[in-house]
Every structure is written in C-alpha cells, then in structure tokens.
Amino acid sequence: MPGVPDPAQAVATAARLSVAPMIDWTDRHCRVFHRQLSRNALLYTEMVTAPALVRGGALHLLDFSPEEYPVALQLGGSDPAELAEAARLGAARGYAEINLNVGCPSDRVQSGTFGAVLMRSPDLVARCVAAMREAVEIPVTVKCRIGVEEQEPRAILPEFLSRIREAGADRAIVHARKAWLQGLSPKENRNVPPLDHDLVEEMGAAFPELAISINGGIGTLADAEAFLARGVFGVMIGRAAYQRPWDILAEADARIFGADRPAPDPVEIVAAMRPYLERHVAAGGRPHQVTRHMMGLFAGRPGARAWRRALSELGTRPDAGAESLDVALAAVGAERDAA
C-alpha cells in the first residue's frame, strides 16, 4: 500500500502489543476506534476463511482503511494452496502480516478443519505455512494454543513450534491455555482451561527466532509491561482491550512503545471518531455498527453508565446519525454533575 512503512518492520515493532483477532468484535470499525487510542499497537482482522475468499469471491471481507495500519489479516483454513492464494489476496490489499488461526475451538471452525483442531496436525500446519510463506513477501505468523484436549503441552508444543519455524513462520502468538474441542463452548475455552504463562515464556526463550507473543488472561497494561520486562517478545490482549479500551490502549504508545505522546482524553477520542461516523452514516451505514465498539470508552469513569445507555438507545434508531455521540457525551456530563 503506497505511503505506509515496510510491513516487516512495521509489525516487528507493533507486535510488542497487539489486540487479538475476535470474531464479531474486531471488525474494521473497531480497528479505526482502537487506532485513535494507540498509533502503534498491532491490530488484527476477525478471522476470514480462505474458502470464502478463494472459492466464494468475498473480497469485500478484505476491506480496511489506511488509518488502521499496521493491521494483520487472520486467515482460517487447512488447504495449503487455498491459503497461499488467500494470503496473496491479503498482501495485494496492503495488509502488514498474514496470520494463520490454529487456536479457535468453535464447532463451526472445527467442521471446516480450521482453528485449534489443527494442533493435532503439525505436518499439515507446516505445509500451510510453507505455502503461504512462498506466496507472499510480508510476514506470515501463526496463532495457536498450548495444546488440545488430552495432549500434554510440554510434549507437543515444542514440536509444533519447531515445525512452523522450519516451515518459515516469522512469528507465533501462543494462547496460554489448552482448547477443549468437545464439552466446552468457545466462551468457556477462554476461561475454564488453566493458564500456563510459564510454559509460553519458556517457549519464547527456546525459540527466539519465532518472536513469540503471549496471549490469554492478560487484563491490564501493567500485566503486559511485566511480561515484556521478563523478556517475552510481545503481548496480545483480547477482551480487556475491547471492554476497557482506554485502560489498555490510551497509554500504550508511551508505556510500551516509548512514544512522546500523552494519553488522549476519552472526549478527544469521541471527537476523533465523529468524522468517521459521519462518513459511515452518509454511505448508508447504521451508527450502531460503529458505536457498539465504543461502549467501553468511559469504563471505570464517572458517566460510564450514561454513555452506554445513550449509545444503546440512540445507535439503533433508524434516524440516528453522528449526533448520537454528542447526545451520549451530554449524558456523560449530566451523570458526572449529578454525582
């Protein structure tokens, strides 16, 4: 993409702190919002399946705005040739990185032989990585679990990481929990299996060339700083970055990346989002498609409840526009005054 930095350098820097790819959450509107909070953190798409792009021709799923950069495309799939073509399509659109999902435990993903079920097939994952690596010049990475079901993580994870390293993977993001493919819902898989951060840190030391990022159960920016201080290459944060975006991202540029930039005030973020929301509505979009990602902006601050309530009520109205943000801000002020 013209006018953007070298992808390899961009993601190597940005990956110190990244926001996890989350289906139904990290869409393009969410990423524009998160980018107002942090100019440096690496952002990811929701998982896009290779068959949808290659066989279904759903190239609109690759749309993103230059202001989101650096942003990585996460792919789901298990066919090396198909993933290679999907990676080419993503690289042509200007993504900074192509990531292969080997961590999602949902039934829908398993039925397509995507996601965490691939932890059982390291040879296949290696072939997929090699095909993608040959197809594109931008970094190719893998997001995985420490194991699935009866697998012993300390036995299988080093072998898995060794295989993707040999196949040419540039980085790995390891969710520090097993995935249970039967008996637990995707939501339960984010909470029930115990965390093993120590194992991921050990893998980071054992495979320095994979520049491993740690994911899972990391809920504060201070937690991220602690992992980085212990030598972990990068930290990926999921739900906390979505539910409490200001707490995680607003000070990240200064604290994680050393940037000389004061944390933006939540009101400044609202002002920065208003032109984007105006363009979205003018193009026929609904305000709620954007504002739903902004619900947590005032989390933990006076007026947070009024902000959420106002956005919920206004964002779904068919006649609502960008003025929804003004009304919601007024509600925040009123609740603060009352307090």
Side-chain angles (χ1 to χ4, degrees), residues 297-314:
L297 179 59
F298 289 89
R301 290 169 175 76
R305 179 163 38 178
W307 170 258
R308 292 193 303 270
R309 183 173 59 247
L311 285 188
S312 297
E313 293 172 353
L314 290 163

Side-chain angles (χ1 to χ4, degrees), residues 23 47 103-111 114 116 181 184-186 189:
I23 294 175
M47 185 187 71
C104 181
S106 78
D107 292 341
R108 179 162 57 96
V109 170
Q110 288 183 55
S111 67
F114 306 160
L181 306 177
L184 292 181
S185 69
N189 263 297

Side-chain angles (χ1 to χ4, degrees), residues 48-123:
V48 178
T49 69
L53 298 175
V54 177
R55 284 183 257 156
L59 299 184
H60 66 280
L61 297 175
L62 296 177
D63 291 344
F64 75 99
S65 305
E67 60 204 284
E68 299 170 38
Y69 204 86
V71 58
L73 170 66
Q74 185 180 73
L75 294 175
S78 57
D79 180 88
E82 203 163 56
L83 282 166
E85 179 57 26
R88 276 190 287 266
L89 292 170
R93 286 295 184 98
Y95 283 96
E97 171 190 306
I98 306 296
N99 176 262
L100 179 62
N101 184 323
V102 190
C104 181
S106 78
D107 292 341
R108 179 162 57 96
V109 170
Q110 288 183 55
S111 67
T113 321
F114 306 160
V117 70
L118 290 174
M119 292 295 298
R120 296 189 183 280
S121 306
D123 290 344

Side-chain angles (χ1 to χ4, degrees), residues 111-244:
S111 67
T113 321
F114 306 160
V117 70
L118 290 174
M119 292 295 298
R120 296 189 183 280
S121 306
D123 290 344
L124 175 57
V125 174
R127 293 199 301 274
C128 291
V129 169
M132 297 161 70
R133 177 69 282 160
E134 185 175 352
V136 299
E137 296 182 359
I138 60 176
V140 172
T141 67
V142 174
K143 186 174 188 294
C144 66
R145 293 281 185 137
I146 60 173
V148 295
E149 296 186 322
E150 78 288 346
Q151 290 181 330
E152 170 48 52
R154 289 187 175 275
I156 68 97
L157 187 57
E159 175 63 20
F160 181 88
L161 294 174
S162 178
R163 295 304 308 276
I164 65 170
R165 177 189 60 186
E166 293 167 1
D170 294 279
R171 284 192 303 109
I173 304 102
V174 183
H175 187 138
R177 283 187 174 95
K178 275 187 178 185
W180 288 92
L181 306 177
Q182 304 293 328
L184 292 181
S185 69
K187 180 178 180 180
E188 290 169 328
N189 263 297
R190 295 192 298 266
N191 297 285
V192 175
L195 287 160
D196 193 345
H197 289 142
D198 290 345
L199 174 59
V200 181
E201 291 190 54
E202 290 171 23
M203 293 300 98
F207 296 90
E209 63 277 33
L210 273 179
I212 290 174
S213 288
I214 191 167
N215 173 231
I218 302 167
T220 69
L221 195 59
D223 290 340
E225 290 176 305
F227 280 114
L228 292 170
R230 291 199 295 272
V232 173
F233 177 84
V235 177
M236 176 178 276
I237 301 181
R239 285 166 292 160
Y242 189 90
Q243 295 164 350
R244 304 190 315 279

